[in-house]
Amino acid sequence: MPNSLLFRRWWAFVPLLTLLGLAIVLAAGWWWPRLAPSYPIPAATANVSIAVNLNNRIRGVSWVGSDSITDVELAPLQQHNVTWIAQTPFGWQRGATSPTIGMHTGRGRVYWGESDAGLIQTAQLARKRGQHILLKPHLWVRGDGTWPGDIRMTSEADWKAWFASYTTFILHYAELAEQQKLDGLCIGTELEQTTTAAHETEWRALIRQIRQVYHGPLTYAANWSGEYEHIRFWDALDYIGIQAYFPLTKNRKPTKAELLAGWQPHLKAIERVQKRFDKLVVFTEMGYKCTADAAVEPWVWPDRTTAFLQLDEDTQATCYAAMFETFWTKKWFGGLFVWKWYPKLAPDGPARRHADFTPQHKEAAQVMAQWFGK
């Protein structure tokens, strides 16, 4: 929301105020958002065109919470033209069929950077550098190979209990986002068995509750493999959020032309959903491993037990280039968050870190910075 909108009613009274009085009023009257955000105003909340100004796109990274943070760790973001960070606290579920979500929000139970105190201090430091913040809570489901998309209750009573527990979980972070005047809130991530038509009513009720607590933009991070297409409540949110790990090829070391062609069916599917709801689309996550097979199954982590991980910076960078060329010029594309950014990763850091999804210290970071700079 532009500064002119925040203060348009004040200037008519300036002649009636002393300088001291004006200072008092400004101090008392500062409300959402504390820092005028660079995100495009969503059509759901303002009478504006769906087309997004290229200068206002979200240029984000998914920030990894660690045991501490200083301004030094944030400095590289500006060097790469990053304007947003997504912060990811966790809720904990004992299993895919458990209706209870545990929360560890204090020091000692989780990484400090994922605790409430860590989230707040990181956000405050980031905002001093002009960064905007998306709060993006995830669920960690215990069990070998289990992920949030597996969550599925076995009875109506358990579904009711799960939504009640999830409501408590997400409202905690909605309150934190409101208190800190954060710039966006993602209300869920890859919960695809819970977002079917059978549970549309529950999600709409939850969104209404969240909006009573938090007054900034909302999105949901839907899985690429069909979830974003079957969600019916996009109209109640401000952005269509997609976890963009779309498979683009079956080949190792693909060419950019091959990747551009691989994007076309996915692009058409995304455009159908975008046109149906007339919302800006944001990639709540987008990333590629630094491996030759990065575009085959982009959602799969590299084998960290391998004795020697063979890095392939060229393939990772080519994947970035094809994605940006496909989406960055689309008027309905609101931006993206690169998965992911380790605040203390050195160029000679652990090979298992450099082989996974981060672009840091690699050719992909240069591609990202060039496109983010446009």
Side-chain angles (χ1 to χ4, degrees), residues 51-308:
V52 60
N53 185 321
L54 293 179
N55 293 327
N56 291 337
R57 283 235 169 89
I58 292 173
R59 296 159 164 83
V61 296
S62 297
W63 184 264
V64 179
S66 58
D67 56 359
S68 64
I69 186 176
T70 67
D71 183 67
V72 172
E73 284 86 55
L74 289 161
L77 298 182
Q78 287 178 307
Q79 297 166 11
H80 289 83
N81 298 313
V82 173
T83 59
W84 281 72
I85 65 171
Q87 292 188 268
T88 306
F90 282 88
W92 307 87
Q93 197 164 318
R94 291 181 180 275
T97 59
S98 172
T100 304
I101 297 165
M103 296 176 60
H104 305 311
T105 60
R107 184 183 295 271
R109 300 297 298 275
V110 295
Y111 282 117
W112 172 85
E114 297 170 5
S115 69
D116 285 3
L119 294 169
I120 291 170
Q121 185 170 333
T122 300
Q124 290 174 344
L125 281 174
R127 297 186 91 167
K128 288 180 180 179
R129 280 192 166 270
Q131 299 293 326
H132 305 292
I133 314 297
L134 174 72
L135 190 58
K136 186 171 177 278
H138 286 207
L139 291 185
W140 187 279
V141 184
R142 301 185 189 278
D144 187 29
T146 305
W147 70 295
D150 293 326
I151 293 173
R152 187 198 303 263
M153 299 300 105
T154 57
S155 69
E156 287 302 315
D158 280 354
W159 272 119
K160 184 176 181 180
W162 185 87
F163 271 102
S165 188
Y166 189 80
T167 297
T168 299
F169 165 73
I170 200 64
L171 285 181
H172 169 80
Y173 290 106
E175 291 170 358
L176 188 151
E178 179 68 14
Q179 291 165 3
Q180 297 300 314
K181 303 304 179 199
L182 302 186
D183 305 283
L185 175 66
C186 183
I187 68 171
T189 300
E190 297 178 359
L191 302 169
E192 66 177 24
Q193 302 300 326
T194 80
T195 60
T196 61
H199 302 292
E200 178 184 358
T201 299
E202 290 96 323
W203 278 101
R204 289 188 180 277
L206 176 57
I207 292 167
R208 287 194 294 270
Q209 287 183 267
I210 292 170
R211 289 205 184 275
Q212 291 174 2
V213 172
Y214 174 71
H215 298 93
L218 301 179
T219 190
Y220 171 87
N223 197 41
W224 65 271
S225 60
E227 184 187 14
Y228 77 94
E229 295 177 274
H230 77 225
I231 287 178
R232 297 185 179 184
F233 53 81
W234 287 127
D235 61 291
L237 299 173
D238 300 303
Y239 296 95
I240 296 170
I242 301 176
Q243 305 280 88
Y245 299 106
F246 296 90
L248 303 176
T249 181
K250 295 182 179 180
N251 300 323
R252 296 167 62 87
K253 296 182 177 293
T255 64
K256 186 168 71 172
E258 183 179 349
L259 296 175
L260 290 171
W263 266 118
Q264 294 311 301
H266 305 305
L267 173 62
K268 292 177 181 178
I270 293 170
E271 286 181 326
R272 286 195 294 269
V273 175
Q274 189 279 320
K275 289 177 181 178
R276 177 184 173 189
F277 291 97
D278 197 28
K279 300 281 182 177
L280 294 174
V281 173
V282 171
F283 286 170
T284 43
E285 288 180 22
M286 184 291 305
Y288 296 96
K289 303 180 291 293
C290 190
T291 57
D293 62 349
V296 178
E297 293 179 323
W299 62 92
V300 176
W301 286 79
D303 184 359
R304 295 182 175 185
T305 64
T306 301
F308 299 99

